[in-house]
Amino acid sequence: MALALYRSILREAGYLPHPYVQLFVKGRTKDYFRTHRNAQDPSKYLKRARCELRKLQRINAGAQKPFMRLLWYTFGRTGAFRRELIKPHFAESYPNFPKREAIIPGVEESRPPSYPPTLLALVTSAISKTTDKQYSAEEVLNPRKLPERADPTSEEARLLGPFSLRRKKNIHRRFFVEQTDRILPPLAVSSSATTADQTKPDIFIPSTGLERWNPMEMLEILASPNPMYSPPSRSKPEDRLPLSPTPRKSGHLRLGGRSSRWLRRRYRELLASIPTMKVRTADGPQGEEDEQPTEKIKGKKPMRNRSIQSIPNPERPTTRAQVAWSSDLVLSPDKPGPLRSMTARELQWIRDAELSKPVAVKKSSK
């Protein structure tokens, strides 16, 4: 019974529209059955596996909501993969990153959470979060939930006494957990720093491990008109990679009962939830402005991309991290992007129509 269910899930996974999504579902299924194969009460695990099988059957039948949920799991917008993509941005991954001063003197655990430049950029940008709330760097380092009494020099602290240091530590910790749970991490981090700068001990460029596969290029190919692919070949080593950076030459991306246009829209919706991040040194090339206007998307208010610096330390070179939209193909209900490019015949028709417009001649006043 369990073996038949296992084979059915793998069979349904083979009908999914892209090899990377197929490999993700198959790998997760194999790990699940391998982990619980010796369980004393396998009924509850088989019940969950049947639920996953029904979801895959709905996806292959053309259901939109479970398909988008699967894409979010596959590309790290939710679930365990999302947590793995956020880890490189935490202070624990930065070598020799300065710690903040302890709130309770002599208690190491009372140090507020540190925000490296890339994590600070993700927290303060509305592009990389699932909420509309926007915080500045100062509001992240000193959360709004801290009362005025937390400042020992304030009037409230003088009248009511000092604020509890333990409560202050807990407010900082809860705010850190709350904001990091809302982050949509980038799949890859690009850098404008030179090779010599990257070797310096004070400069650290976080890596997700996906940079070599170039996943954003693959998603842009899938979101573009008429993406093509063919099943991976076992004889070619490059086809065994989970992400293919180049388009295929045969086969159309389809899902049961749905058109290729519908599928392209789903990938464009996915692109709207994947930000891009660029890291550069403060003394590096300043090709981009620190603040650039961004367009409204997914019901969010227009905001600005911020290049956030790390916690000030004059003895340490600073780096800047900037968050931006992943592609011009992002699709949202507020701003639908173009579904296809104009053909040469249509462009020529527009030019001919503009040339054939009557020219208004002004009458000379006598």
Side-chain angles (χ1 to χ4, degrees):
M1 180 178 179
L3 184 59
L5 180 61
Y6 174 73
R7 290 176 176 174
S8 298
I9 295 177
L10 295 184
R11 187 183 307 111
E12 290 293 333
Y15 300 147
L16 295 173
H18 192 267
Y20 176 60
V21 183
Q22 297 175 12
L23 290 174
F24 178 85
V25 175
K26 290 180 180 180
R28 188 175 63 173
T29 302
K30 292 177 182 179
D31 292 340
Y32 180 81
F33 276 86
R34 189 181 298 111
T35 302
H36 304 293
R37 61 181 177 181
N38 296 325
Q40 296 180 356
D41 185 15
S43 58
K44 60 178 182 180
Y45 301 110
L46 292 177
K47 181 179 180 180
R48 181 179 176 184
R50 294 190 194 95
C51 182
E52 292 296 325
L53 176 60
R54 288 193 293 269
K55 289 181 181 179
L56 289 176
Q57 291 173 345
R58 291 182 59 199
I59 291 173
N60 290 325
Q64 178 174 334
K65 187 174 180 179
F67 178 63
M68 290 303 303
R69 187 70 176 173
L70 177 61
L71 290 182
W72 272 52
Y73 271 108
T74 305
F75 291 93
R77 305 302 90 198
T78 186
F81 190 25
R82 187 194 73 90
R83 294 189 289 271
E84 292 295 327
L85 292 175
I86 295 179
K87 278 184 179 179
H89 302 281
F90 287 164
E92 291 77 7
S93 303
Y94 278 67
N96 304 323
F97 191 79
K99 296 182 179 180
R100 302 176 67 182
E101 185 179 356
I103 297 177
I104 304 176
V107 180
E108 189 70 17
E109 296 180 354
S110 67
R111 294 183 181 273
S114 298
Y115 292 87
T118 55
L119 182 62
L120 195 58
L122 292 172
V123 171
T124 55
S125 175
I127 299 175
S128 57
K129 295 175 66 177
T130 58
T131 179
D132 297 341
K133 292 183 180 180
Q134 184 183 15
Y135 297 95
S136 64
E138 291 298 329
E139 292 172 337
V140 171
L141 299 179
N142 299 295
R144 297 177 182 175
K145 294 183 179 180
L146 282 175
E148 187 179 352
R149 186 181 168 191
D151 184 6
T153 61
S154 63
E155 185 68 17
E156 289 189 8
R158 188 182 67 83
L159 296 176
L160 304 176
F163 188 69
S164 172
L165 298 181
R166 189 176 298 276
R167 287 183 60 189
K168 185 176 180 180
K169 180 204 72 172
N170 293 336
I171 289 175
H172 276 277
R173 177 59 58 180
R174 283 196 295 267
F175 180 81
F176 177 82
V177 174
E178 176 184 337
Q179 296 304 314
T180 53
D181 285 346
R182 296 174 177 176
I183 288 178
L184 297 172
L187 293 179
V189 179
S190 60
S191 172
S192 62
T194 61
T195 306
D197 290 339
Q198 294 182 11
T199 57
K200 296 180 181 179
D202 291 332
I203 296 178
F204 177 73
I205 309 299
S207 174
T208 60
L210 298 176
E211 286 81 4
R212 58 179 299 189
W213 310 122
N214 202 355
M216 297 310 304
E217 182 179 350
M218 180 198 68
L219 286 175
E220 289 189 5
I221 292 173
L222 295 175
S224 301
N226 298 326
M228 310 290 282
Y229 87 100
S230 62
S233 173
R234 297 182 180 180
S235 59
K236 297 181 180 179
E238 62 272 12
D239 286 344
R240 300 175 187 174
L241 302 178
L243 297 178
S244 177
T246 57
R248 306 287 181 164
K249 295 183 179 180
S250 62
H252 291 267
L253 292 175
R254 291 295 180 94
L255 199 64
R258 295 290 188 173
S259 63
S260 58
R261 172 182 172 180
W262 178 89
L263 193 58
R264 290 198 307 271
R265 282 177 170 265
R266 305 289 78 78
Y267 283 113
R268 288 164 64 179
E269 289 179 6
L270 177 64
L271 282 173
S273 64
I274 303 178
T276 58
M277 173 171 286
K278 186 175 183 180
V279 180
R280 67 176 187 268
T281 58
D283 55 351
Q286 303 292 332
E288 300 178 359
E289 296 293 334
D290 285 352
E291 293 187 354
Q292 298 176 356
T294 59
E295 297 175 354
K296 183 178 179 182
I297 196 166
K298 295 177 68 175
K300 297 183 179 181
K301 299 178 181 179
M303 302 203 178
R304 293 181 178 270
N305 296 337
R306 300 185 176 212
S307 297
I308 304 298
Q309 293 186 0
S310 60
I311 299 174
N313 186 350
E315 300 179 357
R316 176 187 177 91
T318 57
T319 58
R320 295 183 178 184
Q322 188 174 21
V323 180
W325 297 119
S326 58
S327 173
D328 295 334
L329 296 171
V330 293
L331 179 66
S332 72
D334 297 328
K335 185 195 172 187
L339 297 179
R340 63 177 179 86
S341 302
M342 286 190 179
T343 63
R345 184 177 180 181
E346 291 171 339
L347 291 173
Q348 186 62 36
W349 182 86
I350 293 175
R351 295 192 190 99
D352 296 342
E354 292 177 349
L355 293 175
S356 61
K357 288 182 180 179
V359 180
V361 179
K362 294 183 179 180
K363 297 182 178 179
S364 59
S365 59
K366 295 182 181 180

